[in-house]
Amino acid sequence: MDGSSSDGSKVLIEKNKECFSFWVSEPDNGIYDAMNKGTKEAKGEYCQYLNSGDFLIAPNTLEKVFQKPFIADVNYGDVYFFKDNEIIERRTYPDTMTLSFLFRSPWGHQVVFVKTEVAKKYLYRAKYTISADRAFFLELYCNNHSFNHISRPIVYFDSEGIGSIDKTRDERKMQFYNLKREFFSDQVNKDIERLLRIKDEYLFVMRVKPLRLMYLFMKKLQKIKN
């Protein structure tokens, strides 16, 4: 899907049109509107949304990913972030998807394979011009769709894309705040945030406790030596 771009994308697609079962170059209302157009035309069992600037880890990545059939509705791998042609981070996602992860962590749609019938049912809420993927996966989670982690990197993700750059940080936060209110009441949002803070405090205590015990042990050992 190309939004009538003037960067040479259409020319490149035309030169390689035999590689595509469908393509179109026309104006759209942002990346998620374009992705919805692609979803409606999809004929395969799963959809992956790979944007311009992002690319698969290797030519045989999809072959390896689909060596075994999936059961889950949503299957997600890991990602390499790159900038200026250098890898700056490898991000590994949790094996078990949780509401706390979806609330706290932006999650790139590029590494996800969604059953086409599921993707067509929900589509992306294109009004969230930067955060529609977060709304999409939150909606799937809240509607009891199954998630499965693929323990391998899938994509090199362009860390300078519109959903990552610093100048859109405030807008991303505002959009996520609004979409949470669309899914949950203010009271439920407050309760979730409170529970997440409790979780953070628990994890902090569990990290600090062993250090505290080690400190006391070393202090006692020093007394014995003296």
Side-chain angles (χ1 to χ4, degrees):
M1 307 303 296
D2 176 62
S4 293
S5 60
S6 57
D7 61 358
S9 295
K10 184 178 179 180
V11 175
L12 182 63
I13 293 170
E14 288 176 331
K15 285 183 178 179
N16 297 276
K17 60 183 178 181
E18 68 279 359
C19 298
F20 303 96
S21 59
F22 175 86
W23 71 274
V24 66
S25 180
E26 62 183 21
D28 55 53
N29 295 314
I31 59 173
Y32 295 108
D33 178 46
M35 286 159 60
N36 283 340
K37 290 181 181 181
T39 300
K40 293 173 183 178
E41 296 292 339
K43 300 295 190 294
E45 187 176 357
Y46 287 90
C47 287
Q48 182 194 21
Y49 301 94
L50 197 61
N51 301 121
S52 179
D54 310 318
F55 52 98
L56 296 169
I57 292 292
N60 63 347
T61 295
L62 295 181
E63 179 183 352
K64 290 184 176 180
V65 166
F66 286 97
Q67 280 179 341
K68 296 181 180 180
F70 290 137
I71 298 175
D73 298 329
V74 185
N75 302 274
Y76 57 97
D78 302 323
V79 62
Y80 287 128
F81 289 85
F82 76 93
K83 182 178 181 180
D84 298 327
N85 294 320
E86 291 187 5
I87 296 173
I88 58 175
E89 179 187 355
R90 172 176 175 169
R91 186 169 298 176
T92 301
Y93 294 116
D95 288 331
T96 302
M97 187 53 56
T98 62
L99 183 61
S100 63
F101 175 81
L102 292 172
F103 252 64
R104 290 289 180 83
S105 304
W107 188 31
H109 55 259
Q110 292 86 347
V111 301
V112 184
F113 303 92
V114 184
K115 277 188 177 178
T116 302
E117 60 184 275
V118 174
K120 287 186 176 186
K121 178 180 179 180
Y122 294 95
L123 297 176
Y124 287 93
R125 302 182 185 212
K127 65 180 180 180
Y128 297 117
T129 55
I130 304 175
S131 302
D133 49 358
R134 297 189 75 174
F136 181 67
F137 295 122
L138 187 60
E139 185 169 18
L140 296 185
Y141 183 87
C142 291
N143 281 280
N144 295 316
H145 287 284
S146 52
F147 286 71
N148 169 59
H149 181 219
I150 306 165
S151 299
R152 66 167 61 246
I154 303 296
V155 164
Y156 289 107
F157 176 78
D158 183 3
S159 61
E160 296 183 290
I162 190 171
S164 304
I165 53 179
D166 287 341
K167 67 181 180 182
T168 63
R169 188 186 306 275
D170 291 340
E171 179 62 22
R172 293 201 308 272
K173 288 181 178 179
M174 179 57 65
Q175 287 190 17
F176 189 55
Y177 171 78
N178 289 332
L179 74 86
K180 284 190 296 183
R181 295 188 69 190
E182 185 173 348
F183 281 96
F184 307 108
S185 69
D186 288 345
Q187 185 58 53
V188 171
N189 272 302
K190 288 178 182 178
D191 288 343
I192 292 173
E193 291 293 348
R194 180 175 59 82
L195 290 172
L196 290 176
R197 286 194 297 272
I198 292 173
K199 178 183 176 182
D200 289 342
E201 291 171 2
Y202 169 78
L203 293 175
F204 175 76
V205 169
M206 294 304 294
R207 285 195 300 268
V208 171
K209 187 176 179 181
L211 296 175
R212 175 64 177 169
L213 292 174
M214 180 61 71
Y215 169 76
L216 294 174
F217 172 76
M218 295 301 294
K219 190 173 182 180
K220 187 172 184 178
L221 183 61
Q222 189 65 38
K223 287 183 179 179
I224 294 174
K225 287 182 177 181
N226 294 335

